[in-house]
Amino acid sequence: MSDTTRTVNIGLIGLGTVGGGTARTIEHNRDEYLRAYGIDLRIAKACALDPEQAAAAGIPAEAFTTDWHDVVADPAVDIVVELIGGEHPATEIFEAAFAAGKHVVTANKALLGRNMERLCALAREHGVQLRCEASAGGGIPIVAALEYSLAGNRMLTVAGILNGTTNYILSRMASEGSDFADVLADAQRLGYAEADPSADVDGFDAASKVAILSSIAFHTRVTTDDVYMQGIRDISPVDIDEARKMGRTIKLLGIARMTEDGIDARVHPAMIPSDHMLASVNGAMNAVFAVGDSVGETMFYGAGAGSYPTASAVVGDVLELARAIARGERPEAEPEPFERRVAIRPIEELRCRYYLRLTAARADDALPAVADTLEAFKIAIAEARQVVDGGERSVIVITEEAREGDVQAACAELAKLASIERVASLIRIEDTAAWAEGAEANE
């Protein structure tokens, strides 16, 4: 270590799964950071509500506090790492840290998905940085890839499996033929799903990540509220089996595409070709498929959550900030945050093929009534048939390409038919080839 190098002090708020992994990663690799990068990292202050978490993470008693204000106010702390999640008190932690001239590293996707523009502007105002690699893919280095490695491209599509819990559930349903509720209960028992799984299974977690990634990829502000969300609660073994017969696999996808009419930003179950790279991503793993006009198709694969994978991304951000601080220099302030400059295309304008499963109250006249209703909305049927599963009779309809708004309106009318009990599933058949439209030919 040269004479001009100084210790970089970290203030760590949150010592749960990710926070504990971050503390242990820094301590375990501290000598390597010093040897390889000339950076001496030290956790100067750490905060949690439970002192036992601090002990488990190896935090000495003199560095521990139960009050986050102590971390932010400590003059020795250079970088505040926020790993508690949620909106409050995380928002207040960001604001206080910026006001104190401290950089912030976070994995808080829920907060950033809705408030990134304001928080980035506040960081810039105070001459500090906000870094968030861990917020949109856990250990997958997709944020840095979009900001730097792929910056020479006009990005066309960012799509992928962005939630490990739902991918675990769908993977097990596909391999075992199990029902959603049974696999969810088992996932909760094993710790893959929270006691309240809504953020995962209803799509909010993935939508927050789509908002962050599409903002970076397309240089415009996209918030979680801009992203259409549909979860996986209605997916059944029948749907998975029908997809398999079509040569397709059902995945919960987060999709962001640049179109002539604006950004197409959505999270929903989709049928994709079973030979597509994303179809082979199973278990709790995540993958992001990024397409640029010059690079073409790329895929980033890895653990999207967990103690050490997420800590990897957190510490990577810390080290990037620490390079300058260790030399006694000040990292550049946060760049000017993106404002909304590209419209969000309404989900009603999406055009694709659709899979519908309708539970039939009366089998004799269900199909003709369904066909007449879809024809009234100018929705062409590519295939229609009845299936019986465990005594439940369903009508399966595969449409030709149709407009989302028309399909939604038609489904509302289908639900009113005397021969139909309910619209059990509506799944989009994704045209993955369209993701690369606009890419240059690889010569």
Side-chain angles (χ1 to χ4, degrees), residues 31-43:
D31 290 343
E32 178 64 15
Y33 302 149
L34 185 60
R35 184 194 66 78
Y37 311 122
I39 298 173
D40 181 32
L41 284 186
R42 180 178 75 100
I43 297 177

Side-chain angles (χ1 to χ4, degrees), residues 31-387:
D31 290 343
E32 178 64 15
Y33 302 149
L34 185 60
R35 184 194 66 78
Y37 311 122
I39 298 173
D40 181 32
L41 284 186
R42 180 178 75 100
I43 297 177
K45 209 73 159 180
C47 172
L49 296 179
D50 184 357
E52 292 184 3
Q53 288 183 321
I59 303 297
E62 63 272 17
F64 176 71
T65 179
T66 57
D67 186 348
W68 65 262
H69 294 87
D70 295 339
V71 176
V72 174
D74 189 332
V77 169
D78 299 297
I79 302 168
V80 172
V81 178
E82 180 274 312
L83 297 174
I84 59 173
E87 189 167 351
H88 300 288
T91 299
E92 292 74 20
I93 290 170
F94 279 58
E95 293 170 344
F98 294 153
K102 302 182 192 302
H103 310 280
V104 173
V105 172
T106 185
N108 197 331
K109 52 191 172 288
L111 179 61
L112 295 185
R114 285 186 166 144
N115 298 282
M116 183 179 280
E117 183 176 0
R118 186 181 77 81
L119 293 172
C120 286
L122 191 60
R124 179 176 176 81
E125 178 184 330
H126 290 286
V128 293
Q129 282 190 31
L130 167 59
R131 299 187 68 92
C132 61
E133 179 66 72
S135 69
I140 302 173
I142 184 61
V143 170
L146 291 173
E147 286 186 331
Y148 305 110
S149 302
L150 297 174
N153 289 259
R154 176 173 58 87
M155 295 307 297
L156 305 172
T157 301
V158 179
I161 296 165
L162 298 171
N163 182 270
T165 299
T166 52
N167 201 50
Y168 172 82
I169 292 171
L170 290 174
S171 296
R172 280 196 52 189
M173 289 178 68
S175 64
E176 301 170 9
S178 304
D179 289 326
F180 167 81
D182 293 337
V183 179
L184 172 60
D186 202 33
Q188 289 171 318
R189 181 182 63 81
L190 294 170
Y192 286 110
E194 300 289 343
D196 179 1
S198 302
D200 293 323
V201 301
D202 293 331
F204 180 79
D205 175 82
S208 297
K209 297 171 184 178
V210 167
I212 294 168
L213 293 177
S214 52
S215 294
I216 297 169
F218 305 128
H219 314 296
T220 187
R221 180 55 54 227
V222 179
T223 72
T224 306
D225 295 332
D226 295 321
V227 182
Y228 171 82
M229 281 180 271
Q230 177 189 337
I232 66 169
R233 292 181 190 268
D234 292 334
I235 303 298
S236 80
V238 173
D239 302 323
I240 291 172
D241 188 55
E242 290 297 316
R244 186 179 291 116
K245 293 175 184 176
M246 298 163 59
R248 289 182 172 264
T249 300
I250 298 175
K251 294 292 187 182
L252 182 75
L253 295 185
I255 300 169
R257 291 187 61 206
M258 179 64 76
T259 76
E260 293 180 355
D261 301 318
I263 294 172
D264 174 18
R266 47 196 166 96
V267 170
H268 54 72
M271 291 185 178
I272 59 175
S274 294
D275 60 358
H276 192 278
M277 287 187 288
L278 288 175
S280 63
V281 177
N282 292 313
M285 302 304 283
N286 284 195
V288 181
F289 201 77
V291 186
D293 64 338
S294 294
V295 72
E297 298 176 341
T298 66
M299 193 171 90
F300 300 79
Y301 170 89
S307 178
Y308 289 108
T310 309
S312 168
V314 169
V315 178
D317 275 345
V318 168
L319 287 168
E320 279 300 305
L321 288 168
R323 291 180 190 276
I325 297 171
R327 297 192 301 266
E329 301 170 0
R330 189 173 183 83
E332 293 183 4
E334 184 71 20
E336 190 75 34
F338 299 125
E339 297 179 352
R340 174 65 59 77
R341 67 173 185 83
V342 180
I344 304 299
R345 186 174 74 167
I347 187 63
E348 291 79 11
E349 299 306 318
L350 175 67
R351 296 191 66 85
C352 66
R353 297 167 63 214
Y354 292 83
Y355 162 97
L356 302 175
R357 177 170 57 86
L358 316 164
T359 55
R362 298 204 307 267
D364 53 350
D365 60 353
L367 256 178
V370 168
D372 289 344
T373 301
L374 292 176
E375 183 180 3
F377 286 90
K378 297 182 171 54
I379 298 170
I381 297 176
E383 184 180 350
R385 61 184 178 277
Q386 294 187 23
V387 299

